[in-house]
Structures are given as C-alpha cells and as structure tokens.
Amino acid sequence: MAVTNQQVTPIPWNSTNPPAGLTNLENVVTNAGAATTNGPIVKRKYVRVTYDCDDFAGDMEKALEAAGFDATFTVYWRVVPNPAATWYNRRTVPRNITVAHALVDVHTAAGLIWIEPQNGQIGVNLDFDGDGKVGHTNDHAGTDFTDDSGRIEVYDSREAAEKAGVVMD
C-alpha cells in the first residue's frame, strides 16, 4: 500500500437528516453482529487485552463493509495532560500522557464519519485543532502529529494496521 498523508473533512452526524447514502448507517451500527453468538458489537463487554477497542473496531469495520459501506480502521494517539500530575509530584509524575484508541470510519464523497464501535456513537470528532480538517496517514513509521497534538492513522482493516506495525492490545 502506498503511503498517504491526507487532510479530510470530518462529516458531522445528524440522525434526522443523515448524509446521502447513509440513511441506514445508524441501524447497521446498532445491529452489527446481532446475528452472531456474541450479539451486537455495541452491546459487547469490554475486556482489557482480550476484547478491547481494536477488537471492537475490527469487528465493526468488517460488519460495515459487509453492509456495503466503504469503511476503514482508524487508530489514534493523542498527548493530553496527565490528570495525576500536580505541582507537588511534578518531578516524579509526567505532566502529559499519551492515550491511544481505535475507531472505525465510513468514507463518503464529502469526507469521513468516525464511529465509536464500543457505544455506537456516530460522528466522533477527531479534529483536535478545530480547523475543520482532520489530518491522517497510513504511515506507521512516521512520527509527526497529523492533527494538532494527535497522530491519526487510517488503514483498510485491523489486519492492515497490524501489518503496518501498529501494536494491538
């Protein structure tokens, strides 16, 4: 796969007036996986390491693709203030920490819509700097932030992300 660095428009979600071609997206997200023995993806239990965000996102991406959507797997890292850091422990506790998470996105002609597969939220905002664009890449070897204090990587699937070097669990 060729390395891409892109700026895309995040599409806001309005369930009463969804973008063209996405009228059944909410229904598909809510019911994805319902026919399996594990039940709907959004109702599954989070189990650290065994079934966590990358597993939710991988399953949801496959379900959305099976339903005819152009869906891909997104992983991001973001530097945020450490809630445990205080003035008193400033020498022993880091001021900032890096958080990581996996989501799913659906591609439209107008841009991308990010979905939180653990609760079914459609329209997750990854525009960390508020400029109306979300920078992302598929180059895991890179180290630069793609959007303000975050690094967002979009891959065809969870397997493609792992092949690129993204560590799961």
Side-chain angles (χ1 to χ4, degrees):
M1 175 183 349
V3 171
T4 61
N5 295 296
Q6 298 181 4
Q7 291 281 321
V8 297
T9 303
I11 306 299
W13 181 254
N14 178 344
S15 61
T16 58
N17 188 22
L22 301 179
T23 53
N24 68 334
L25 179 62
E26 201 164 10
N27 184 50
V28 171
V29 167
T30 301
N31 295 304
T36 67
T37 57
N38 295 328
I41 295 165
V42 298
K43 302 273 187 197
R44 293 179 186 169
K45 183 179 178 184
Y46 179 97
V47 180
R48 190 169 180 254
V49 180
T50 306
Y51 196 81
D52 55 11
C53 65
D54 57 273
D55 301 296
F56 277 92
D59 288 350
M60 184 65 76
E61 182 268 329
K62 288 175 185 169
L64 289 167
E65 284 281 333
F69 292 100
D70 181 8
T72 53
F73 181 91
T74 298
V75 62
Y76 72 85
W77 297 264
R78 187 159 188 214
V79 177
V80 298
N82 184 348
T86 67
W87 185 86
Y88 298 105
N89 65 12
R90 68 187 182 282
R91 293 179 190 215
T92 58
V93 175
R95 293 178 65 199
N96 294 310
I97 57 174
T98 302
V99 296
H101 194 48
L103 301 169
V104 177
D105 56 84
V106 172
H107 297 248
T108 71
L112 296 179
I113 295 178
W114 276 278
I115 301 167
E116 170 53 76
Q118 293 179 53
N119 63 18
Q121 177 190 352
I122 301 172
V124 174
N125 185 8
L126 294 185
D127 183 11
F128 299 137
D129 58 10
D131 68 352
K133 296 285 184 185
V134 173
H136 68 83
T137 185
N138 68 351
D139 178 19
H140 189 63
T143 58
D144 295 335
F145 291 136
T146 59
D147 201 87
D148 193 40
S149 64
R151 179 168 179 80
I152 303 164
E153 298 179 10
V154 175
Y155 297 95
D156 288 338
S157 65
R158 180 180 189 264
E159 294 76 20
E162 284 183 298
K163 186 175 179 182
V166 177
V167 177
M168 305 294 169
D169 301 321

